[in-house]
Amino acid sequence: MDIADLGLPVDVPSTALFTDQYELTMLRAALRAGTAERRSVFEVFTRRLPDGRRYGVVAGTGRVLDAVENFRFDAGVLRFLRERGIVDGETLDWLAEYRFSGDIWGYPEGEVYFPGSPIMRVEGTFGECVLLETVILSILNHDSAIAAAASRMASAAGDRPLIEMGARRTHELAAVAAARAAYVGGFATTSDLAAGFRYNIPTVGTSAHAFTLLHDNERDAFRAQVAALGRDTTLLVDTYDVAEAVRTAVETAGPELGAVRIDSGDLLLVAHRVRQQLDELGATDTKIVVTSDLDEYAIASLAAAPVDAYGVGTQLVTGSGHPTASMVYKLVARAESGGSTGEGAPLVPVAKKSSGGKTSVGGRKWAARRLDAHGYAEAEVVGTGPVPAGLADRQLLVELVKGGEVVAREPLDAARDRHAAARANLPLSATQLSRGEPVIPTEYLHEGSGS
């Protein structure tokens, strides 16, 4: 099944109102002024990484492509805008015909990024590009934050698989996006069936404490679960007494028992005790799964424990303390005033100049990653104008949309594999959980600077 063909949920037929009102009022004013058709270049970037993070992870690109394709002002949306008086008749007529016809370039999904990286570049007329600001940022900020947290957890977990199980800790639609982003970041499975359906992510799940409490005793609960799901199921052993539950679990399922799950207590201590008990009972192949408000730090602390898999919920879907990637969408170049302002018109760099750390760098940018003598990344190079010959084959931006048509759809596994490769290409300190600066610096190379 081609999951991309599923599109958006049936109750969200259009993404056109996933925006802020000022996008439409800017369009209205630009149409009145005759500047809405002026060729423009917008870029998505972040000025800084969340405190303590060494790298960011690009996630949500595939969802952005879906959102751009579904950005349509249908009759109901236009009626809402007209009845609220948000735009005038001229703007309504323009919106009724809206189809993004420009180009989008970006870091491919799963790639890492750093402060100043031009994560996505949107080119077209001012009118068609400005309307996409909010929906693009909404997707990229959320998904990239989740993927970054997932990546740190995956690094801490090493070869042990991670289960995404945060659906009950966030909005129902955000849960699906979070599961997708977590998979890109390195998680192996999800408990969320909607994510499995929409994105073909492997799904897992067995039982909660309620199932044990439903029965008169733990043995009856285990018998019922094994009868229904087989001996290789995962039995939850911390409802009452862990040691007694482990003994009952092995007696019920035999040494073929697939796994036991521990969801409370001192996980390090309990995991060691459970492993010893399982081995003594002959269940040497039975695995141990731990859950219970885990984050990357808790996972790292269990590195020496006999744990086989981790289930993560709350901390993952909230970005492990950083629920946004703080990306912005800024106009960095536009056509010169006067003369031709459409395709092929000369571009003038523009940038916000203000105090308070909210400045931006003007100009249509490229980005490349310079490697050291050992083949590891040593700098993120961002520039305008010609790309130096030595960096030509290290460019990061790829074409995503050409002339309004999506040209870069790919399976989600491709983004997942790309992230694993990109993270492995960073200096070893990238995986440290201690506070620190971005693992490589961002260097700017301006046209004509010679540096």
Side-chain angles (χ1 to χ4, degrees), residues 343-420:
E343 185 67 29
L347 291 173
V348 178
V350 295
K352 177 179 179 179
K353 302 295 183 185
S354 65
S355 59
K358 285 195 171 184
T359 59
S360 57
V361 178
R364 182 179 184 272
K365 299 174 197 67
W366 51 263
R369 192 160 297 146
R370 191 173 69 239
L371 305 182
D372 64 17
H374 303 287
Y376 289 97
E378 69 173 9
E380 191 89 338
V381 185
V382 177
T384 58
V387 181
L391 294 174
D393 63 347
R394 300 297 307 168
Q395 293 190 73
L396 293 164
L397 279 81
V398 299
E399 194 168 31
L400 302 172
V401 176
K402 182 176 183 179
E405 298 295 325
V406 174
V407 296
R409 287 206 187 282
E410 62 181 7
L412 194 59
D413 278 327
R416 174 184 168 86
D417 293 343
R418 181 180 296 115
H419 176 63

Side-chain angles (χ1 to χ4, degrees), residues 104-193:
I104 300 178
W105 290 70
Y107 281 38
E109 190 158 20
E111 183 58 83
V112 296
Y113 70 87
F114 300 92
S117 296
I119 296 161
M120 186 168 286
R121 189 175 72 220
V122 183
E123 305 183 35
T125 67
F126 176 83
E128 66 181 339
C129 293
V130 75
L131 294 183
L132 299 177
E133 174 183 3
T134 302
V135 70
I136 287 176
L137 288 179
S138 176
I139 293 170
L140 292 181
N141 269 316
H142 173 269
D143 290 22
S144 296
I146 304 303
S151 179
R152 284 162 60 86
M153 293 174 187
S155 292
D159 295 331
R160 298 171 179 177
L162 291 158
I163 307 163
E164 186 282 315
M165 47 195 304
R168 64 190 62 193
R169 303 298 188 222
T170 188
H171 185 279
E172 66 273 18
L173 294 182
V176 181
R180 182 187 184 281
Y183 190 69
V184 171
F187 274 58
T189 54
T190 180
S191 66
D192 189 84
L193 291 178

Side-chain angles (χ1 to χ4, degrees), residues 37-41 123-126 333-349 364:
E37 299 303 313
R38 180 171 289 173
R39 182 186 175 203
S40 300
V41 180
E123 305 183 35
T125 67
F126 176 83
R334 60 165 175 78
E336 291 180 336
S337 300
S340 173
T341 60
E343 185 67 29
L347 291 173
V348 178
R364 182 179 184 272

Side-chain angles (χ1 to χ4, degrees), residues 84-304:
R84 293 291 183 95
I86 293 170
V87 294
D88 58 9
E90 177 189 13
T91 308
L92 285 171
D93 292 341
W94 192 94
L95 293 174
E97 302 298 322
Y98 180 88
R99 300 290 186 275
F100 180 74
S101 63
D103 302 329
I104 300 178
W105 290 70
Y107 281 38
E109 190 158 20
E111 183 58 83
V112 296
Y113 70 87
F114 300 92
S117 296
I119 296 161
M120 186 168 286
R121 189 175 72 220
V122 183
E123 305 183 35
T125 67
F126 176 83
E128 66 181 339
C129 293
V130 75
L131 294 183
L132 299 177
E133 174 183 3
T134 302
V135 70
I136 287 176
L137 288 179
S138 176
I139 293 170
L140 292 181
N141 269 316
H142 173 269
D143 290 22
S144 296
I146 304 303
S151 179
R152 284 162 60 86
M153 293 174 187
S155 292
D159 295 331
R160 298 171 179 177
L162 291 158
I163 307 163
E164 186 282 315
M165 47 195 304
R168 64 190 62 193
R169 303 298 188 222
T170 188
H171 185 279
E172 66 273 18
L173 294 182
V176 181
R180 182 187 184 281
Y183 190 69
V184 171
F187 274 58
T189 54
T190 180
S191 66
D192 189 84
L193 291 178
F197 173 73
R198 289 193 60 197
Y199 299 117
N200 207 25
I201 301 170
T203 58
V204 295
T206 50
S207 69
H209 294 99
F211 185 76
T212 301
L213 296 171
L214 170 68
H215 294 80
D216 291 339
N217 56 65
E218 207 163 36
R219 187 177 297 274
D220 287 348
F222 289 172
R223 283 174 175 168
Q225 184 174 328
V226 170
L229 302 180
R231 295 178 183 274
D232 62 346
T233 189
T234 299
L235 296 177
L236 180 60
V237 295
D238 73 331
T239 305
Y240 305 116
D241 178 83
V242 172
E244 182 61 30
V246 171
R247 184 178 303 105
T248 302
V250 176
E251 289 174 355
T252 303
E256 300 85 12
L257 174 62
V260 295
R261 178 162 75 95
I262 307 166
D263 187 53
S264 59
D266 183 336
L267 296 179
L268 178 62
L269 176 62
V270 175
H272 277 287
R273 288 178 175 173
V274 168
R275 180 74 271 159
Q276 180 179 354
Q277 186 180 10
L278 287 170
D279 291 346
E280 290 172 350
L281 293 170
T284 56
D285 293 329
T286 299
K287 293 180 170 26
I288 297 175
V289 180
V290 296
T291 56
S292 184
D293 292 326
L294 298 177
D295 61 10
E296 60 265 51
Y297 301 101
I299 292 169
S301 73
L302 292 168

